[in-house]
Amino acid sequence: MATRFSKAEEDDAACVSLPDNMLSLTLAKHQNGGEAFNRPTPPSPSDSGSYPFEKIFPVYARGFSRPDSDSLANSLDHIWEAVKDEAKLEADKEPILSSFLYASILSHDCLEQALAFVLANRLQNPTLLATQLLDTFMDVILHDRGIQRAIRLDVQAFKDRDPACLSYCTALLYLKGYHSLQSYRVAHVLWNQGRKVLALALQSRISEVFGVDIHPAAKVGDGILLDHGTGVVIGETAVIGNRVSLMHGVTLGGTGKEVGDRHPKVGDGALIGACVTILGNVKIGEGAMIASSSLVLKDVGPHSMMAGTPAKVIGYVDEKDPSLTMKHDATKEFFEHVAVSFVEGRPNGV
């Protein structure tokens, strides 16, 4: 017997950008080893526990099959559990978001599935369909342990380092820095698989939607913070280590038409301030800090503090990873020392 939906449920369905019938088939295909079947029935109260989402949200986005037994999502996942708890609390506080939170988080079995759903919604357009993106993201993320690890380390980085990130849910649902970074990770896998045209198509959509342009061939480590993300440009041969924080407007670019290895290499734990431009195949040492609006054209030593156009060493950073403390400024005494040194003509103020 065909399932009938109320007018309210149909109105809810119209508010979500993924087409109802197409997404149902996509979800069904994942649940049945690649074979689609008819529209699944709405979730029962036993499926959703005591939380009555089955009454307010239509059937689609019920979730995918669970990942393989060796997947991170099959073990106890403290971040995913926290995400679900946060989503339930938010739905209680803002009932108008209940459908959105159910579709994006509470209908899924693991962080990978929820992230794929969110990214597909954000990046779809009339010719790059949400169902196609959903299939692609699911296929890549559920079969790549490196991405499964990175999406958790990245979301932890956002929560720990960005005071505007109130919860894991905030990063997963709303922060385009996080969205662009995870979309890049999928494009990077596709690039390495030889699917370069699709990878470049994703790069183009990421740039259009999020204002972040990361070449899919670039290499980016784990535990990365793209704070705001707007205007970030990362070139094809750029390499970024682990635990790096980049503010908005950062450019890791080349210096002209040269080919080959031509983009910056950023070491672990570095902190790159807003609107910093780093050009050429230069190395930014581990734990270095580059002040906002600086122009870097030469190698930067480990734990150096750089500022200016062109940037010069103005001191050294005590912390092992300034990216974790997010302290962009030095002490008042330090800048007084630099100012006096400049007046007296001592180089670099040290």
Side-chain angles (χ1 to χ4, degrees):
M1 180 176 178
T3 303
R4 297 184 60 83
F5 295 91
S6 68
K7 180 63 167 60
E9 289 175 321
E10 291 172 352
D11 290 342
D12 281 339
C15 296
V16 179
S17 55
L18 293 180
D20 189 357
N21 60 336
M22 295 177 68
L23 185 55
S24 296
L25 291 175
T26 298
L27 298 177
K29 185 172 76 171
H30 281 285
Q31 290 170 332
N32 291 270
E35 296 183 2
F37 58 82
N38 293 331
R39 182 190 190 95
T41 57
S44 66
S46 60
D47 290 333
S48 302
S50 59
Y51 211 75
F53 280 108
E54 71 281 354
K55 297 180 180 179
I56 61 173
F57 193 76
V59 63
Y60 52 88
R62 274 293 296 140
F64 307 87
S65 60
R66 290 190 179 276
D68 297 335
S69 59
D70 64 345
S71 171
L72 286 175
N74 240 12
S75 59
L76 180 61
D77 187 344
H78 296 289
I79 288 180
W80 175 237
E81 293 302 317
V83 167
K84 290 189 294 183
D85 289 342
E86 292 166 358
K88 291 176 182 178
L89 290 173
E90 292 303 316
D92 276 337
K93 291 189 291 185
E94 291 290 352
I96 195 172
L97 294 177
S98 295
S99 294
F100 168 69
L101 291 166
Y102 181 79
S104 302
I105 294 176
L106 295 169
S107 65
H108 302 290
D109 294 323
C110 62
L111 182 62
E112 288 81 359
Q113 295 171 2
L115 177 62
F117 183 91
V118 170
L119 297 182
N121 260 298
R122 295 299 306 273
L123 294 173
Q124 69 159 331
N125 69 10
T127 57
L128 195 58
L129 301 181
T131 49
Q132 296 170 326
L133 290 171
L134 194 61
D135 269 333
T136 300
F137 290 143
M138 289 296 297
D139 183 60
V140 170
I141 296 175
L142 288 181
H143 294 90
D144 192 297
R145 293 295 297 273
I147 289 185
Q148 293 170 13
R149 170 183 168 86
I151 64 177
R152 289 167 172 81
L153 292 176
D154 291 343
V155 77
Q156 189 68 58
F158 275 77
K159 186 173 183 297
D160 289 346
R161 300 179 218 164
D162 182 359
C165 184
L166 305 177
S167 64
Y168 295 112
C169 259
T170 301
L172 179 61
L173 295 176
Y174 309 119
L175 298 188
K176 65 179 183 178
Y178 184 75
H179 294 163
S180 59
L181 185 58
Q182 308 321 315
S183 303
Y184 146 78
R185 295 194 186 281
V186 172
H188 181 67
V189 171
L190 295 172
W191 181 273
N192 289 337
Q193 290 176 347
R195 304 173 69 182
K196 294 186 177 181
V197 174
L198 180 54
L200 291 172
L202 272 181
Q203 177 196 4
S204 176
R205 282 300 294 157
I206 295 166
S207 178
E208 290 175 26
V209 175
F210 303 128
V212 176
D213 194 352
I214 308 176
H215 194 284
K219 299 177 181 178
V220 179
D222 301 331
I224 305 298
L225 171 65
L226 293 186
D227 194 7
H228 298 289
T230 303
V232 169
V233 177
I234 299 175
E236 179 182 9
T237 61
V239 178
I240 298 176
N242 299 320
R243 305 181 308 282
V244 173
S245 294
L246 298 95
M247 316 315 291
H248 61 276
V250 169
T251 296
L252 305 182
T255 56
K257 295 184 178 180
E258 72 274 18
V259 296
D261 194 358
R262 61 194 184 279
H263 294 101
K265 312 295 181 285
V266 180
D268 295 346
L271 173 58
I272 313 298
C275 299
V276 166
T277 299
I278 307 174
L279 300 179
N281 187 12
V282 300
K283 182 177 180 180
I284 308 300
E286 295 182 1
M289 188 181 81
I290 313 298
S292 298
S293 300
S294 296
L295 171 63
V296 180
L297 302 173
K298 298 180 180 179
D299 288 353
V300 175
H303 303 284
S304 297
M305 184 186 297
M306 304 285 289
T309 304
K312 297 180 180 180
V313 176
I314 61 170
Y316 295 91
V317 181
D318 294 331
E319 297 93 346
K320 176 183 177 182
D321 293 331
S323 62
L324 304 185
T325 62
M326 297 295 290
K327 292 181 179 178
H328 296 264
D329 57 341
T331 63
K332 178 180 178 181
E333 291 76 14
F334 174 82
F335 281 112
E336 288 176 347
H337 167 68
V338 171
V340 171
S341 299
F342 177 80
V343 171
E344 294 178 354
R346 294 202 296 268
N348 299 328
V350 293

